[in-house]
Amino acid sequence: MKAKSRKKSRANGRGRKTSHPGKEDGVSLYKRIKIDVTRMLSSGDISPQDPLPTEKQLAARFEVSIGTVRRAMDDLVAEHIVVRQQGRGTFLAALSPERMLNRFWPYFRQDGVRVIPIVQTLSFEETRADAETAEALGLRKGDPTYRIVNVLLMSGNPVILDEINLAKKTYSGLNEEDLVARETTMYGFYQSHFGINVFRVLDRMHGALANEWSAERLGVELNTPLLSVVRIAYAFGNRPVEFRKSLIRTDAYEYRNAIGGEIRVD
Amino acid sequence: MKAKSRKKSRANGRGRKTSHPGKEDGVSLYKRIKIDVTRMLSSGDISPQDPLPTEKQLAARFEVSIGTVRRAMDDLVAEHIVVRQQGRGTFLAALSPERMLNRFWPYFRQDGVRVIPIVQTLSFEETRADAETAEALGLRKGDPTYRIVNVLLMSGNPVILDEINLAKKTYSGLNEEDLVARETTMYGFYQSHFGINVFRVLDRMHGALANEWSAERLGVELNTPLLSVVRIAYAFGNRPVEFRKSLIRTDAYEYRNAIGGEIRVD
DNA sequence: TTCGATTTGTTCGTATGTATT
DNA sequence: TAATACATACGAACAAATCGA
């Protein structure tokens, strides 16, 4: 019976054969769409405030069914690359509130409350990459960089000392005025002023001691144990866009990492 | 045209209306399936080595289409609850190699290589929950517990000092012989001997100093800065099943946390 | 305010390919 | 080889949220 099989479906008569999964390159259609859409986003052509092409448009552009587009988009949603809203459209996830305030901010008060810090900029300077920064940002030693030192206050107390290193060529024109005047997080600032979307970070944790410099600024005794976090933030294509070294007082606050997801209710 | 629409599909004539999404309880069908399947897994009826019901069976049991079952299972795969294998079936993720060795093991050599440790058990004792342990495991202070202290060697050197606290009622019959004779990780041991599937952990990081006890066992000077990790491991239903306090030498190794996923190639 | 168009969300169903047993 | 089970792809229908006329 049936034998109807591939009705017409695609414009071209050949009919794709559905699989032999990847046609020319051995990749399934929905994965190809994921790659292409991600490339679209990384190109910077898409501003985070306006929507991506609709399902229908993508289906037409890639010559696949709506269902295949949805399969790809579902993956991108699960990976926090895009967010979708019924009736509105699909957007880059970079500016979603969850991402801005929660996703890359792992610091909690010890009772589990997430505290939003107040940032004080201690210094802003143009300098040159040391070996460590060059390695992290994919630069050559001596390449021009910006270095920003911030103190983050939680409930009025200094808790985190941040040293942020940025490649000058990536953030050309950065100046202290814009920086301190920003109304958002650093990652939101990168987005709005430079079109850089942080979508992944890698944190490396060590134990450390307060030296004279950090002890004074964090208001602790010399040799107080601190948590050291070295972070590299990546944009699409795993392009490193920020190298940050943090020292954290963990007497009242802590770094939390939930492997396997936060408490789900579903 | 067409007008075929809802052929017969469901036994009852009313035909579900597809949505009004959640019928009685306001939850969509695929989410209900996710919950029910998760409950199935948490009940312990399903051994990790044999497969869950097939798509077809689940579709019949829940009286939904195959596509809806797949939607639910795709979510569970993304959440690392189950793993699926073409031609074999769908399995609890608890025993997947990735989970056993990688997922809950965030320690790396500083060059990025993941090192599998050798475990030496220093002590095994039956004791009673202190306030901290009781709080973490949902016990009353003084409830009977097991306490295991391990040293973890990496490349032959002591790097991590682990104190593991387990509720006696959860692991009744646990003895040191079985423990040291295990061929797998602690979480694999919980699985094989007690049917406990760890699927989520919460780590809390602080800076700390080596005291006399820890300095000796880790082979470092007194007051060496260490990384302190306090972990609670959860089974399904967010039931706490392990409370672990770790002290880590971070001179050659480190704790890594990748927010936003590991490097993807896709 | 209402209404219709747009866009995503959910569900259903079918066909076929591929890996496993 | 045949049966089983998941993977991929196509397509349709309707619900619900959003937005602008």
Side-chain angles (χ1 to χ4, degrees):
Chain A
M1 63 330 191
K2 73 215 26 187
K4 43 108 84 53
S5 86
R6 190 131 278 92
K7 213 175 327 217
K8 54 82 200 265
S9 94
R10 326 278 310 312
N12 60 7
R14 72 168 170 81
R16 160 144 314 133
K17 269 322 196 343
T18 191
S19 121
H20 156 252
K23 57 204 208 155
E24 307 81 25
D25 47 0
V27 177
S28 53
L29 289 176
Y30 79 92
K31 284 185 180 168
R32 172 123 304 281
I33 294 174
K34 281 177 60 178
I35 295 171
D36 286 349
V37 170
T38 302
R39 231 193 292 276
M40 266 177 50
L41 296 173
S42 66
S43 75
D45 297 344
I46 305 278
S47 157
Q49 32 272 347
D50 42 42
L52 275 65
T54 66
E55 295 178 339
K56 200 183 305 195
Q57 292 168 334
L58 289 172
R61 175 185 310 188
F62 295 113
E63 298 186 291
V64 300
S65 76
I66 298 267
T68 300
V69 172
R70 287 200 62 91
R71 178 71 171 81
M73 300 311 270
D74 284 349
D75 270 23
L76 294 180
V77 169
E79 293 168 17
H80 298 99
I81 307 291
V82 302
V83 295
R84 318 192 77 192
Q85 272 181 271
Q86 198 174 135
R88 295 230 300 140
T90 303
F91 301 83
L92 223 185
L95 290 190
S96 71
E98 181 267 348
R99 190 179 201 103
M100 297 295 282
L101 290 180
N102 294 348
R103 192 155 164 69
F104 299 122
W105 181 250
Y107 300 105
F108 291 77
R109 208 166 63 193
Q110 294 197 350
D111 60 9
V113 175
R114 198 190 291 265
V115 182
I116 305 300
I118 294 174
V119 182
Q120 289 182 346
T121 297
L122 296 187
S123 67
F124 175 94
E125 54 177 335
E126 305 188 14
T127 177
R128 297 190 169 278
D130 55 27
E132 196 182 13
T133 302
E135 158 83 18
L137 295 179
L139 306 174
R140 279 186 302 274
K141 195 173 151 184
D143 281 355
T145 59
Y146 297 106
R147 173 174 296 156
I148 303 151
V149 178
N150 290 330
V151 181
L152 281 64
L153 308 177
M154 324 255 272
S155 308
N157 303 310
V159 175
I160 300 180
L161 203 48
D162 259 357
E163 176 193 296
I164 300 174
N165 295 278
L166 308 173
K168 195 164 178 180
K169 72 168 167 21
T170 307
Y171 295 86
S172 66
L174 176 63
N175 62 75
E176 191 167 3
E177 286 67 46
D178 291 348
L179 184 67
V180 300
R182 75 180 188 279
E183 292 281 327
T184 173
T185 63
M186 285 301 286
Y187 296 159
F189 178 72
Y190 301 159
Q191 205 303 306
S192 58
H193 284 63
F194 301 95
I196 292 170
N197 296 295
V198 170
F199 86 112
R200 191 176 79 84
V201 305
L202 175 62
D203 284 342
R204 304 164 59 191
M205 263 76 73
H206 301 83
L209 296 179
N211 61 19
E212 212 167 278
W213 182 80
S214 52
E216 182 186 343
R217 281 157 186 77
L218 286 174
V220 297
E221 299 289 318
L222 204 66
N223 291 331
T224 300
L226 301 175
L227 174 64
S228 159
V229 178
V230 178
R231 166 178 289 193
I232 302 177
Y234 296 88
F236 288 105
N238 291 310
R239 182 167 68 105
V241 294
E242 184 204 70
F243 177 56
R244 179 186 299 219
K245 293 196 283 187
S246 303
L247 288 172
I248 301 100
R249 290 180 57 166
T250 52
D251 47 351
Y253 295 85
E254 62 195 19
Y255 184 113
R256 291 194 171 197
N257 179 29
I259 308 178
E262 300 294 334
I263 289 84
R264 297 173 310 116
V265 211
D266 281 11
Chain B
M1 60 334 194
K2 211 115 307 163
K4 46 104 90 28
S5 83
R6 192 132 282 86
K7 213 177 323 224
K8 52 81 201 270
S9 93
R10 324 277 313 311
N12 60 8
R14 72 168 172 80
R16 159 140 319 129
K17 272 323 198 343
T18 190
S19 114
H20 156 252
K23 56 199 205 160
E24 307 81 26
D25 46 359
V27 177
S28 53
L29 290 175
Y30 79 91
K31 284 184 181 168
R32 172 124 303 282
I33 294 175
K34 279 177 61 177
I35 294 171
D36 287 348
V37 170
T38 302
R39 230 193 293 278
M40 266 177 49
L41 297 173
S42 67
S43 73
D45 298 345
I46 305 278
S47 156
Q49 33 272 346
D50 42 42
L52 274 65
T54 66
E55 295 179 339
K56 200 182 306 193
Q57 292 168 334
L58 289 173
R61 174 184 311 188
F62 295 113
E63 298 187 290
V64 299
S65 75
I66 299 262
T68 300
V69 172
R70 285 200 64 88
R71 178 71 169 79
M73 299 310 271
D74 284 349
D75 270 23
L76 294 180
V77 169
E79 295 167 16
H80 299 99
I81 308 292
V82 302
V83 294
R84 318 191 77 191
Q85 273 180 271
Q86 198 174 137
R88 295 230 299 140
T90 302
F91 301 84
L92 222 184
L95 290 189
S96 71
E98 181 267 347
R99 188 178 202 105
M100 296 296 282
L101 290 180
N102 294 347
R103 190 154 165 70
F104 299 122
W105 182 251
Y107 300 105
F108 292 77
R109 207 166 64 193
Q110 294 197 349
D111 60 9
V113 175
R114 198 188 291 266
V115 183
I116 304 302
I118 294 173
V119 182
Q120 288 182 347
T121 297
L122 296 186
S123 68
F124 174 95
E125 55 178 334
E126 305 188 14
T127 177
R128 298 189 169 278
D130 55 27
E132 196 182 12
T133 302
E135 157 83 18
L137 294 179
L139 305 174
R140 280 186 301 275
K141 196 173 151 183
D143 282 354
T145 60
Y146 297 105
R147 175 174 294 154
I148 303 151
V149 178
N150 290 330
V151 181
L152 282 64
L153 308 177
M154 325 255 273
S155 308
N157 303 310
V159 174
I160 300 180
L161 203 48
D162 260 356
E163 175 194 296
I164 299 173
N165 295 278
L166 307 172
K168 195 163 177 182
K169 72 168 168 22
T170 307
Y171 296 86
S172 65
L174 176 63
N175 63 74
E176 190 167 2
E177 287 66 47
D178 290 348
L179 185 67
V180 300
R182 76 179 189 281
E183 292 280 329
T184 172
T185 64
M186 285 300 287
Y187 296 158
F189 178 71
Y190 301 157
Q191 205 302 309
S192 57
H193 283 64
F194 300 94
I196 292 170
N197 295 297
V198 171
F199 87 111
R200 191 176 79 83
V201 304
L202 175 62
D203 285 341
R204 304 164 59 191
M205 263 77 72
H206 302 84
L209 296 179
N211 61 18
E212 212 166 279
W213 182 78
S214 53
E216 183 187 343
R217 282 159 186 77
L218 286 175
V220 297
E221 298 290 319
L222 203 66
N223 291 330
T224 298
L226 301 175
L227 173 65
S228 159
V229 178
V230 178
R231 166 177 290 193
I232 303 177
Y234 297 88
F236 287 105
N238 290 311
R239 181 167 68 103
V241 295
E242 184 204 70
F243 177 55
R244 182 186 298 219
K245 293 196 283 187
S246 304
L247 288 173
I248 300 99
R249 291 180 57 165
T250 51
D251 47 350
Y253 296 84
E254 62 195 20
Y255 184 114
R256 291 194 171 195
N257 180 28
I259 308 178
E262 300 293 336
I263 291 82
R264 298 172 311 115
V265 209
D266 282 11

